[in-house]
Amino acid sequence: MKIISILSIVSFVLFSTACQGSTLGMEATTPPSHQLWDELVKANVSPDGRVNYKGFIQSKAKLEQYLTLLSNNAPDRKTWSKNEQLAYWINAYNAFTVKLIVDNYPTKSIRDLGPKLKIPMVSDVWHYKFFKIGGVESSLDEIEHSILRKEFDEPRIHFAINCASVSCPPLLNEAFLADKLEAQLQKVATTFINDSSRNKISKDAIQVSQIFSWFNGDFTKKGTLIDFLNRYSKVKISPNAKVSHLDYNWNLNE
């Protein structure tokens, strides 16, 4: 009888462990609420995108609550709509970027951060795996390049995700939401392209952000870069306009 009892206990423990382990990497059938993030950015991000990181530090418990919600509710590509997935990943990128700054504040630049010890295959802070999604370790680089750029044919994501730097597109002071996503992407693209501190546009010559150089292929799938810019630019750019790129300011966007 004792042997049977011991075997029963062992079997129960193994079964319980297997059940717990099976949740790792599992996806949520319904998207999590982004209300916490919406409240955080409304309170700590100005309309022009300047970030109050000290305010985020004071609200760190709320930030961590939202990040845990994201970590435990990875998108289910079979049941979530494209907009639900896209809104999730944009918010996740921005929220985990803020966490990175909050955890290492004060800092002059995000490029100064990352693992203190040399880690194989980790060349910069964006490759640093400091959070989990669905139980799987992940990095900002994976969200941007392996998911956002790879799975979505949407060049405007480059104006929605924020790298905590002055020259980055401003962090939107509201959460991205599936039912508002098209209007929000239109807004951030128009705002960024017509921002004279980040792009200098005239009819015959443009000086644009390095973003348009780094990700040129994303903006030229359906025409030239100027074709893309003209969809949002208030100044009509000549097809033969001279194109150059501005220096990028990596200082913290506070």
Side-chain angles (χ1 to χ4, degrees):
M1 291 293 292
K2 289 183 178 179
I3 294 175
I4 294 174
S5 298
I6 292 171
L7 288 174
S8 298
I9 292 170
V10 171
S11 298
F12 175 77
V13 171
L14 289 174
F15 175 77
S16 299
T17 303
C19 288
Q20 292 172 8
S22 67
T23 63
L24 297 181
M26 288 184 66
E27 292 130 344
T29 54
T30 57
S33 168
H34 298 293
Q35 181 179 345
L36 289 173
W37 180 242
D38 191 69
E39 293 172 358
L40 284 164
V41 291
K42 276 183 168 63
N44 298 297
V45 181
S46 68
D48 62 353
R50 286 175 295 170
V51 183
N52 177 13
Y53 289 106
K54 291 179 181 178
F56 271 110
I57 291 170
Q58 292 175 350
S59 303
K60 189 172 182 180
K62 191 173 185 177
L63 175 62
E64 292 292 351
Q65 184 183 352
Y66 177 64
L67 296 175
T68 299
L69 189 65
L70 293 179
S71 293
N72 293 339
N73 291 275
D76 185 340
R77 291 164 174 81
K78 295 178 181 178
T79 60
W80 291 29
S81 70
K82 278 291 185 180
N83 277 6
E84 287 171 338
Q85 295 176 53
L86 188 51
Y88 171 97
W89 289 116
I90 292 172
N91 290 331
Y93 186 97
N94 290 336
F96 280 110
T97 296
V98 168
K99 171 182 169 57
L100 189 64
I101 302 300
V102 165
D103 287 349
N104 293 278
Y105 193 87
T107 184
K108 184 179 180 181
S109 171
I110 190 173
R111 294 204 298 180
D112 297 333
L113 307 181
K116 292 182 170 51
L117 299 175
K118 291 293 182 182
I119 300 176
M121 306 301 290
V122 177
S123 59
D124 56 40
V125 66
W126 289 279
H127 291 86
Y128 179 35
K129 295 187 177 184
F130 65 95
F131 59 91
K132 291 183 178 181
I133 299 291
V136 180
E137 289 188 339
S138 190
S139 68
L140 296 174
D141 182 86
E142 288 179 6
I143 291 179
E144 181 176 8
H145 301 291
S146 299
I147 298 173
L148 285 172
R149 294 184 64 218
K150 185 176 181 181
E151 296 184 18
F152 302 90
D153 183 19
E154 181 50 82
R156 292 175 297 179
I157 60 111
H158 294 294
F159 315 125
I161 58 175
N162 179 269
C163 64
S165 303
V166 172
S167 287
C168 290
L171 178 60
L172 189 64
N173 63 345
E174 62 184 54
F176 284 88
L177 301 174
D179 59 353
K180 297 171 61 178
L181 193 59
E182 175 57 33
Q184 289 175 315
L185 290 174
Q186 191 76 8
K187 176 182 177 179
V188 294
T190 301
T191 299
F192 180 74
I193 288 170
N194 291 286
D195 183 346
S196 60
S197 69
R198 293 174 171 89
N199 299 283
K200 301 184 185 303
I201 296 176
S202 64
K203 178 184 176 183
D204 297 315
I206 59 174
Q207 293 175 285
V208 291
S209 168
Q210 291 285 351
I211 289 172
F212 294 109
S213 173
W214 297 330
F215 306 108
N216 182 265
D218 293 359
F219 301 110
T220 56
K221 290 179 179 179
K222 299 176 182 178
T224 66
L225 175 59
I226 290 175
D227 290 335
F228 178 85
L229 293 172
N230 272 333
R231 294 179 207 164
Y232 308 96
S233 176
K234 294 176 182 177
V235 176
K236 190 70 174 178
I237 308 166
S238 168
N240 300 315
K242 180 182 178 182
V243 180
S244 59
H245 297 89
L246 297 169
D247 291 335
Y248 211 80
N249 184 345
W250 287 102
N251 287 329
L252 198 64
N253 60 339
E254 67 175 343

